[in-house]
Amino acid sequence: MQNSNSISLNAVRVFLVTSRHLSSKKAAEDLSVTPGAVSHQIKALERALNAQLFERSNNAIYLTDAGKRLAAKSMPGLQIFHRAIEELTDGSDKLRI
């Protein structure tokens, strides 16, 4: 496994949205990106972790055991991060420094 500092926070975010929807297409819609961009981020994260996060079967995807563990451990941290950003920006689109 690579150093966790080299793992993209965006890739983790994409993974978590995809794991919630269990659909690259729905995750892409939610994130306002293409399904290909979602797939690219997931594959990059899987390479960085040296772990398969999703099982792919026909048009469906399922979390692997590793994917379930990563989702369960990562979601609370990402929620804290998003709340911190919201507090800093007071819910506005402008970040105050």
Side-chain angles (χ1 to χ4, degrees), residues 33-88:
V33 298
T34 65
V38 168
S39 179
H40 177 78
Q41 289 292 319
I42 298 295
K43 287 178 183 175
L45 183 60
E46 287 178 327
R47 277 193 308 275
L49 295 172
N50 195 30
Q52 187 174 350
L53 301 173
F54 291 100
E55 289 284 336
R56 294 153 182 92
S57 174
N58 297 326
N59 290 332
I61 60 172
Y62 307 94
L63 285 167
T64 62
D65 287 340
K68 289 175 187 175
R69 286 193 313 272
L70 181 61
K73 298 283 187 175
S74 300
M75 184 59 76
L78 191 63
Q79 289 169 336
I80 291 167
F81 177 74
H82 280 287
R83 281 195 301 271
I85 295 299
E86 286 175 6
E87 287 178 20
L88 285 173

Side-chain angles (χ1 to χ4, degrees), residues 2-14 41 44-45 48:
Q2 289 185 355
N3 180 336
S4 62
N5 291 331
S6 67
I7 294 173
S8 163
L9 180 58
N10 188 55
V12 174
R13 182 172 162 254
V14 169
Q41 289 292 319
L45 183 60

